[in-house]
C-alpha cells in the first residue's frame, strides 16, 4: 500500500473536519444543490472529454495504483533477474518452470522463456503489454486531472447561480441565506475535490507511470538477455544502468569514484 497517499488524504480530511467542528457542525457545510452542481457537472464534462470505456477502465485503475506500490523496486528486479539468469544458466529454460515471481509481468516473461518462445515473439508481446498498460494508466491520470480542472470551474458556476437566485429574491429575506450557502459551498466543494483529491491523484499517477515504464522496460531487457543466454553477471551489470548511481551498489559496497 502507498502509505503517502493514504496519510495525505487522511491528514487533509482531519484538518478540514477539525476546522469545521471548531466553528459549528457538519450540517452547516452540506448543501444538496452544491453537491449536484459540482459532482454532476464535473461528471458530465468528463464524459464529454473522454470515451465512456476510458472512464470505466481508467478511473478504477488510477485509484488502484494511486494507493498501491509496485511489488518489487527496480533494485529488487535487477537482483531477481540476475538470480533467474543464474538458474537458466545452470538448469536451462526448463529450470525456470519452478520459479515463482511476485510481479505478474515478470512471471509472464519467465513463462515465455520456459515455453521456448523465440526472441522476437517475447519482445513484441512484452512491449505491447507494457505499452497498453501504460496507456491505460496515463488515461487514468488524465481523467483525474480533467476532473480536478473542471471542479473549481463548476464551483464558480454554482456560485454564480446562487448569486443570481439570491439577487432575484431580495424581497424575501428568508431565501437569502440558502442561496448564499449554495454560492459559497459550491466554490468550497470544487476547491476540495480538485486540490485534495483529483489533482494530487493525477500527479501521483504521473509518477507511477514513469516508475512502471522503467520497471517494465527493465524486465523486458532482462528477459531478453536471459533468453539470449547471457551470463548472470552481464545481466546484472546491464540492468544496473536503469538505477540512479547511488542505488547501483549494495549497502556497504564501495562506490566507484
Amino acid at each position: 500500500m502507498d502509505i503517502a497517499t493514504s496519510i495525505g488524504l487522511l491528514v487533509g480530511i482531519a484538518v478540514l473536519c477539525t476546522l469545521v467542528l471548531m466553528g459549528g457542525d457538519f450540517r452547516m457545510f452540506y448543501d444538496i444543490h452544491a453537491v449536484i452542481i459540482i459532482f454532476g457537472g464535473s461528471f458530465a464534462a468528463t464524459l464529454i472529454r473522454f470515451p465512456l470505456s476510458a472512464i470505466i477502465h481508467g478511473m478504477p485503475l488510477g485509484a488502484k495504483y494511486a494507493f498501491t506500490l509496485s511489488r518489487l523496486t527496480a533494485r529488487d528486479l535487477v537482483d531477481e533477474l540476475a538470480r533467474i539468469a543464474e538458474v537458466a544458466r545452470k538448469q536451462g529454460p526448463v529450470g525456470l518452470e519452478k520459479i515463482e515471481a511476485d510481479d505478474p509481468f515478470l512471471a509472464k516473461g519467465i513463462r515465455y522463456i520456459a515455453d521456448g518462445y523465440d526472441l522476437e515473439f517475447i519482445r513484441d508481446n512484452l512491449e505491447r503489454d507494457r505499452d497498453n498498460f501504460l496507456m491505460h494508466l496515463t488515461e487514468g491520470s488524465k481523467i483525474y486531472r480533467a476532473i480536478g480542472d473542471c471542479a473549481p470551474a463548476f464551483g464558480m458556476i454554482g456560485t454564480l447561480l446562487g448569486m443570481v437566485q439570491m439577487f432575484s429574491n431580495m424581497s424575501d429575506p428568508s431565501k437569502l441565506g440558502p442561496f448564499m450557502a449554495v454560492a459559497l459551498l459550491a466554490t468550497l466543494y470544487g476547491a476540495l475535490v480538485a486540490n485534495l483529491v483529483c489533482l494530487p491523484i493525477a500527479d501521483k499517477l504521473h509518477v507511477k507511470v514513469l516508475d512502471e515504464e522503467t520497471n517494465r522496460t527493465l524486465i523486458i531487457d532482462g528477459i531478453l538477455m536471459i533468453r539470449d543466454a547471457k551470463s548472470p553477471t552481464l545481466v546484472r551489470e546491464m540492468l544496473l544502468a536503469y538505477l540512479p548511481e547511488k542505488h547501483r551498489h549494495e549497502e556497504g559496497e564501495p562506490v566507484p569514484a
Side-chain angles (χ1 to χ4, degrees), residues 51-92:
L52 182 60
S53 59
I55 295 175
I56 293 175
H57 189 83
M59 287 193 69
L61 182 67
K64 174 185 175 182
Y65 276 85
F67 288 91
T68 57
L69 290 170
S70 298
R71 291 180 174 87
L72 298 174
T73 64
R75 178 73 210 204
D76 294 334
L77 288 172
V78 171
D79 295 337
E80 181 71 7
L81 285 162
R83 183 181 70 84
I84 294 169
E86 184 70 30
V87 173
R89 187 185 68 168
K90 292 180 178 179
Q91 303 178 21

Side-chain angles (χ1 to χ4, degrees), residues 148-253:
D149 288 341
C150 67
F154 277 98
M156 182 59 65
I157 292 173
T159 298
L160 295 175
L161 290 174
M163 296 294 288
V164 169
Q165 292 171 329
M166 184 180 69
F167 287 125
S168 298
N169 291 272
M170 294 294 289
S171 60
D172 187 355
S174 65
K175 295 183 179 180
L176 298 183
F179 290 142
M180 179 61 74
V182 173
L184 297 179
L185 289 177
T187 302
L188 175 64
Y189 291 171
L192 289 177
V193 169
N195 295 289
L196 183 60
V197 181
C198 293
L199 292 180
I201 287 180
D203 288 337
K204 176 60 71 71
L205 290 177
H206 177 69
V207 175
K208 295 292 179 72
V209 167
L210 298 179
D211 288 343
E212 288 291 335
E213 182 177 12
T214 299
N215 289 353
R216 295 192 177 219
T217 303
L218 186 154
I219 289 173
I220 292 172
D221 286 352
I223 289 295
L224 294 177
M225 284 189 284
I226 295 171
R227 176 63 180 81
D228 206 24
K230 302 295 184 182
S231 71
T233 302
L234 178 61
V235 171
R236 178 184 294 274
E237 291 301 318
M238 292 290 289
L239 296 181
L240 283 175
Y242 281 95
L243 306 182
E245 183 66 34
K246 63 181 180 179
H247 294 154
R248 295 180 185 180
H249 304 275
E250 298 286 358
E251 187 175 353
E253 180 183 348

Side-chain angles (χ1 to χ4, degrees), residues 120-137:
E120 288 305 315
F121 174 88
I122 296 175
R123 184 198 308 275
D124 291 344
N125 277 271
L126 291 182
E127 288 181 349
R128 188 178 302 112
D129 189 307
R130 176 200 61 191
D131 294 344
N132 285 336
F133 172 80
L134 293 177
M135 180 187 67
H136 290 308
L137 195 57

Side-chain angles (χ1 to χ4, degrees), residues 108-127:
K108 178 184 291 187
I110 296 172
R111 178 170 57 82
Y112 284 162
I113 299 175
D115 291 343
Y117 291 111
D118 63 76
L119 201 66
E120 288 305 315
F121 174 88
I122 296 175
R123 184 198 308 275
D124 291 344
N125 277 271
L126 291 182
E127 288 181 349

